[in-house]
Amino acid sequence: MLKDNLKQVEENIEKACERAGRKREEVTLIAVSKTKPVPMLEEIYEEGIRTFGENKVQELVEKYDEMPKDIKWHMIGHLQRNKVKYIVDKVALIHSVDSYRLAEEINVQAKKHGVVVPILIEVNVAEEDSKFGVKLNEAMQLAEEISLLENVRIEGLMTIAPFVENAEDNRMYFRQLKQLSVDIDAKNIDNVHMKILSMGMTGDYTVAIEEGATMVRVGTGIFGARNYNNI
Ligand SMILES: *Cc1c(COP(=O)(O)O)cnc(C)c1O
């Protein structure tokens, strides 16, 4: 039952917050529902979850249309510039901005819709070839450039840590991202506020919370394993 999974995740989050001396309210759980059918999302919605993460534009838009309107949809996957227009007025947060050109397109579309879009800069802390995101030492400059765009607002940083057996192996990456957010904040760039640290997935969210995550993105831990053959 998804309800039991959710309860377990919630318990783990609470314990991690306790260990870190943090308040539960400081951490937002994002239910990552990619590849999962709407009835499963509804089950979780019934349990009070209002924040969902998707990584494909079309899937996000379809679920947006079918699900209640009080849901906050988070775009967590790689975003192509030509698809920005489909989601710009539907998302509460875009986690995956890793180039000025993408931010620029979000700005153009946001202007058309008369909205300001909150975004995170995606950082490939571990510098894995298979992952998107800027390098740690490129993030500051990108933040400075994007800060000049009127209809985009940088609210923090996001990383996807390596897939590891032992979550402890990712602790240093979470720590590095936290430090980067402190460094960027210290620069006092206009229009840039490092409020959000989106880090931690099913395998490592408790470690991420200990290191300062304010958003954890949990898919498998709530919905079970994904089957990519069915889609
Ligand atoms: C799929 C995905 C997640 C969730 O992964 P799980 O290991 O299933 O919790 C989190 N973040 C991003 C960016 C993802 O694409």
Coordinates of all heavy atoms in Angstrom, one line a residue, residues 32 34 55 76 158 160 201-203 217-221 226, ligand 1:
V32 N 7.8 12.0 -6.3 CA 8.3 11.9 -7.8 C 7.4 10.8 -8.4 O 7.6 9.6 -8.2 CB 9.8 11.6 -7.9 CG1 10.2 11.4 -9.3 CG2 10.6 12.7 -7.3
K34 N 6.8 10.2 -11.8 CA 7.1 9.9 -13.2 C 6.9 8.4 -13.5 O 7.2 7.6 -12.6 CB 8.6 10.3 -13.5 CG 9.6 9.5 -12.7 CD 11.0 10.1 -13.0 CE 12.1 9.2 -12.3 NZ 13.4 9.8 -12.2
N55 N 9.5 14.4 -14.7 CA 10.7 14.8 -15.4 C 10.4 14.9 -16.9 O 11.4 15.1 -17.7 CB 11.8 13.8 -15.1 CG 11.5 12.4 -15.7 OD1 10.4 12.0 -16.0 ND2 12.6 11.6 -15.9
I76 N 11.5 18.3 -12.6 CA 12.8 17.9 -12.0 C 13.7 17.4 -13.1 O 14.9 17.1 -12.8 CB 12.6 16.9 -10.9 CG1 11.9 15.6 -11.4 CG2 11.8 17.5 -9.7 CD1 11.9 14.5 -10.4
M158 N 20.0 22.6 -7.0 CA 19.6 21.2 -7.0 C 20.7 20.3 -7.5 O 21.6 20.7 -8.3 CB 18.4 21.1 -8.0 CG 17.9 19.6 -8.2 SD 18.7 18.7 -9.5 CE 17.3 18.0 -10.4
I160 N 21.6 15.9 -8.5 CA 21.3 14.5 -8.5 C 22.6 13.8 -8.1 O 23.6 13.8 -8.9 CB 20.8 14.0 -9.9 CG1 19.6 14.9 -10.3 CG2 20.5 12.6 -9.8 CD1 19.1 14.6 -11.7
M201 N 17.3 11.5 -2.9 CA 16.3 10.7 -3.5 C 16.1 9.5 -2.6 O 16.6 9.4 -1.5 CB 16.8 10.3 -4.9 CG 17.1 11.6 -5.7 SD 18.0 11.4 -7.3 CE 17.4 9.9 -8.1
T202 N 15.4 8.5 -3.2 CA 15.0 7.3 -2.3 C 16.2 6.8 -1.6 O 16.1 6.5 -0.4 CB 14.3 6.2 -3.1 OG1 13.1 6.8 -3.6 CG2 14.1 5.0 -2.3
G203 N 17.3 6.6 -2.3 CA 18.5 6.0 -1.6 C 19.2 6.8 -0.6 O 20.0 6.2 0.2
R217 N 13.4 14.5 -3.1 CA 12.7 14.0 -4.3 C 12.6 12.5 -4.2 O 13.5 11.8 -4.5 CB 13.3 14.5 -5.6 CG 13.7 16.0 -5.6 CD 14.3 16.3 -6.9 NE 15.5 15.5 -7.2 CZ 16.8 15.8 -6.9 NH1 17.1 17.0 -6.3 NH2 17.8 15.0 -7.1
V218 N 11.4 12.0 -3.7 CA 11.3 10.6 -3.5 C 10.3 9.9 -4.4 O 9.1 10.3 -4.4 CB 11.0 10.3 -2.0 CG1 10.9 8.8 -1.8 CG2 12.0 10.9 -1.1
G219 N 10.8 9.0 -5.3 CA 9.9 8.3 -6.2 C 9.7 6.9 -5.7 O 8.7 6.5 -5.1
T220 N 10.7 6.0 -5.9 CA 10.6 4.6 -5.6 C 10.1 4.3 -4.2 O 9.3 3.4 -3.9 CB 12.0 3.9 -5.8 OG1 12.5 4.4 -7.1 CG2 11.9 2.4 -5.8
G221 N 10.6 5.1 -3.3 CA 10.3 4.9 -1.8 C 8.8 5.1 -1.5 O 8.3 4.6 -0.6
R226 N 10.0 1.6 -10.7 CA 9.4 2.0 -12.0 C 9.6 0.9 -13.0 O 10.7 0.3 -13.1 CB 10.1 3.3 -12.4 CG 9.6 4.5 -11.7 CD 10.3 5.8 -12.1 NE 11.7 5.8 -11.8 CZ 12.2 6.2 -10.6 NH1 11.4 6.7 -9.7 NH2 13.5 6.2 -10.4
Ligands
LIG1 C1 13.4 9.9 -10.8 C2 14.0 11.0 -10.1 C3 14.0 11.1 -8.6 C4 13.4 10.0 -7.8 O1 14.2 8.9 -7.8 P1 14.0 7.7 -6.8 O2 15.3 7.0 -6.6 O3 12.9 6.8 -7.4 O4 13.5 8.3 -5.5 C5 14.5 12.2 -8.0 N1 15.1 13.2 -8.8 C6 15.1 13.2 -10.1 C7 15.7 14.3 -10.8 C8 14.6 12.1 -10.8 O5 14.7 12.1 -12.1

